C-alpha cells in the first residue's frame, strides 16, 4: 500500500486512501509550498475548504506540480454562509474559480447546522444539496458528501437526496473515536474521512504513544496515522513543515499488532473530544 492506493466510493469513483490537510495553512507561500511539497512527496489527495481562505494557493500548487488532473483528487467544502440553493450554486463556482479547476473530485457540506437557520438544518441542507446535485450533473463535481454530520443530520438528507452522499468527514483520532457514528457511516455506504488525525497536534505528547513509537522505531505521528489507516479510515494529516509532510507519508512500511491497536483504542478521551455540531457559533 502507498499514498496512491485508493478506496472505491459507493458511486464507483476512486479516492486516494490518505489525503493532505490544509486547514490553518496560510494563503500565499505557506499553503502553496506545503501542497507543492506534499505533491512531490507523493500525496495525490488534497483537502481544502472555502473557509480556509487558501483555495487559490492550493490551486496554484496543483497547477505548478505538472501532475495530470486525472491523477489528483481535490476536495473543497461549502461554508455555513450558504443557506439556500442559489448561495450554494454561486459558492461552488467561486471555489472552482479560486482553485483554477474545471471540476472538484469531492465537495462537502462543511457543517450541518449553521447558526442563521438553526434549528431548521434539514431544510437548509436539502436546499444546498440540490445545488450540489446540479453541479454533479453539470460535471463541476464528481462526488458529494458531508462533514461533521451525525445520524440526526444525515437521515433527513438521505431521504431527499437524489444523488447520495458518499463521504462523511469527521474528527477521528485515538482520543476522539466516534464509534457509533463510524458504524452509521458504514451502514449507509459513507466512507469515513478522519480529520484532525493527529488531534491538531494535541495527542502527540501522550506517553502511551511515545512508548509504542519507540518500539516500532517510528514517530508518534506515524503510529497514529498507521492506526487510522488500519482502522479503515481515510486520514487527512496537515503540516506546513517539509520534514513532517515526508514523515507523515512514511506509514506503509510497518504494521501495528492487534495488541498495539487495542492499546491505542484505549486512549479515547485522553486528549480532547469532538465538538457538538449543533452548538457551533458559526
Ligand atoms: N471538516 C472539518 O470541519 C475539518 C476540521 C478540521 C480539520 N479538517 C481537515 O483535516 C486536516 C487535518 O486536521 P488538523 O489540521 O486539525 O490537524 P492534524 O493533521 O491533526 O495536525 C496538524 C498539526 O500537527 C502538526 N504536525 C503534523 N505532522 C506532525 C509530525 N509528524 N510531528 C509533529 N507535529 C506534526 C502540524 O504542525 P505544522 O503544520 O506546523 O508542521 C499541525 O500543528 C485539516 O488540515 C483539514 O484539511 C477538517
Amino acid at each position: 500500500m502507498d499514498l496512491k492506493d485508493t478506496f472505491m466510493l459507493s458511486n464507483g469513483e476512486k479516492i486516494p486512501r490518505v489525503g493532505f490537510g490544509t486547514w490553518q495553512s496560510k494563503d500565499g507561500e505557506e499553503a502553496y509550498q506545503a501542497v507543492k511539497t506534499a505533491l512531490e512527496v507523493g500525496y495525490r489527495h488534497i483537502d481544502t475548504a472555502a473557509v480556509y481562505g487558501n483555495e487559490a494557493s492550493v490551486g496554484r500548487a496543483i497547477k505548478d506540480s505538472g501532475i495530470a488532473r486525472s491523477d489528483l483528487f481535490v476536495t473543497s467544502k461549502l461554508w455555513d454562509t450558504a443557506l439556500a440553493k442559489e448561495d450554494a450554486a454561486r459558492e461552488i463556482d467561486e471555489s472552482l474559480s479560486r482553485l483554477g479547476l474545471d471540476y472538484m473530485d469531492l465537495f462537502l457540506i462543511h457543517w450541518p447546522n449553521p447558526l442563521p437557520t438553526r434549528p431548521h438544518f434539514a431544510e437548509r441542507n436539502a436546499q444546498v444539496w440540490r445545488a450540489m446535485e446540479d453541479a454533479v450533473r453539470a460535471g463541476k463535481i464528481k462526488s458529494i458528501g458531508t462533514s461533521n454530520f451525525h445520524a440526526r443530520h444525515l437521515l433527513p438528507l438521505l431521504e431527499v437526496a437524489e444523488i447520495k452522499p458518499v463521504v462523511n468527514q469527521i474528527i477521528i483520532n485515538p482520543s476522539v473515536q466516534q464509534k457509533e457514528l463510524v458504524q452509521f457511516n458504514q451502514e449507509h455506504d459513507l466512507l469515513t474521512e478522519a480529520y484532525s488525525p493527529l488531534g491538531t497536534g494535541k495527542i502527540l505528547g501522550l506517553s502511551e504513544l511515545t512508548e509504542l513509537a519507540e518500539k516500532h522505531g517510528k514517530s508518534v505521528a506515524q503510529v497514529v496515522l498507521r492506526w487510522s489507516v488500519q482502522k479503515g479510515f481515510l486520514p487527512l494529516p496537515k503540516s506546513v513543515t517539509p520534514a513532517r509532510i515526508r514523515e507523515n507519508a512514511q506509514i506503509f512500511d510497518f504494521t501495528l499488532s492487534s495488541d498495539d491497536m487495542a492499546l491505542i483504542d484505549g486512549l479515547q478521551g485522553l486528549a480532547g473530544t469532538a465538538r457538538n455540531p449543533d452548538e457551533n457559533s458559526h
Side-chain angles (χ1 to χ4, degrees):
M1 209 199 290
D2 64 26
L3 284 176
K4 298 179 184 75
D5 259 28
T6 54
F7 283 116
M8 174 90 82
L9 296 169
S10 62
N11 62 0
E13 296 288 340
K14 289 184 177 159
I15 181 169
R17 293 176 66 124
V18 175
F20 183 71
T22 64
W23 177 42
Q24 294 180 314
S25 301
K26 285 189 215 75
D27 195 33
E29 266 313 274
E30 186 173 273
Y32 174 78
Q33 290 298 343
V35 174
K36 198 154 170 282
T37 304
L39 294 172
E40 281 162 12
V41 164
Y43 294 82
R44 289 294 176 268
H45 171 174
I46 310 293
D47 184 85
T48 183
V51 76
Y52 300 170
N54 58 20
E55 287 172 311
S57 309
V58 168
R60 201 158 50 86
I62 287 171
K63 184 160 176 268
D64 291 355
S65 75
I67 297 168
R69 178 67 186 91
S70 55
D71 291 335
L72 291 171
F73 192 100
V74 183
T75 302
S76 193
K77 312 185 192 88
L78 182 74
W79 188 235
D80 288 12
T81 41
L83 303 173
K85 185 178 174 192
E86 316 79 73
D87 305 331
R90 190 185 57 247
E91 294 202 16
I92 289 166
D93 287 344
E94 287 174 1
S95 277
L96 279 171
S97 158
R98 282 190 295 265
L99 284 162
L101 297 176
D102 298 331
Y103 70 91
M104 291 178 276
D105 295 276
L106 179 64
F107 194 69
L108 309 175
I109 304 182
H110 205 144
W111 286 91
N113 197 352
L115 200 50
T117 45
R118 201 171 289 166
H120 305 291
F121 62 82
E123 291 86 339
R124 178 266 180 171
N125 291 335
Q127 281 259 341
V128 300
W129 198 255
R130 289 283 166 257
M132 289 163 67
E133 291 175 326
D134 284 352
V136 172
R137 294 187 188 105
K140 295 177 181 179
I141 302 174
K142 298 243 186 228
S143 302
I144 47 182
T146 57
S147 179
N148 297 297
F149 275 49
H150 286 238
R152 61 184 177 276
H153 310 113
L154 275 160
L155 286 170
L157 180 64
L158 288 167
E159 263 181 40
V160 298
E162 290 169 10
I163 300 176
K164 299 290 173 209
V166 293
V167 160
N168 191 21
Q169 182 182 122
I170 56 176
I171 181 169
I172 300 259
N173 60 57
S175 182
V176 189
Q177 296 183 34
Q178 307 215 68
K179 287 184 187 155
E180 269 180 38
L181 184 49
V182 166
Q183 195 179 336
F184 179 91
N185 287 347
Q186 273 164 1
E187 287 166 3
H188 294 81
D189 290 331
L190 293 158
L191 179 72
T192 299
E193 289 190 348
Y195 83 62
S196 302
L198 308 173
T200 319
K202 287 197 289 286
I203 58 167
L204 299 176
L206 289 178
S207 58
E208 293 86 343
L209 291 172
T210 316
E211 283 169 28
L212 202 52
E214 272 168 24
K215 187 179 102 179
H216 285 280
K218 300 298 270 185
S219 70
V220 171
Q222 288 168 326
V223 164
V224 168
L225 293 171
R226 180 73 204 181
W227 171 85
S228 192
V229 166
Q230 284 186 216
K231 283 287 206 183
F233 305 136
L234 190 163
L236 302 166
K238 172 263 178 186
S239 176
V240 294
T241 313
R244 291 175 175 173
I245 296 171
R246 250 174 244 112
E247 178 185 320
N248 295 346
Q250 285 154 11
I251 56 172
F252 301 106
D253 55 356
F254 73 113
T255 305
L256 297 170
S257 69
S258 50
D259 284 351
D260 297 337
M261 292 295 284
L263 188 150
I264 302 177
D265 287 349
L267 302 178
Q268 169 66 35
L270 292 192
T273 52
R275 284 191 285 166
N276 179 347
D278 295 326
E279 290 173 3
N280 272 341
S281 54
H282 45 80

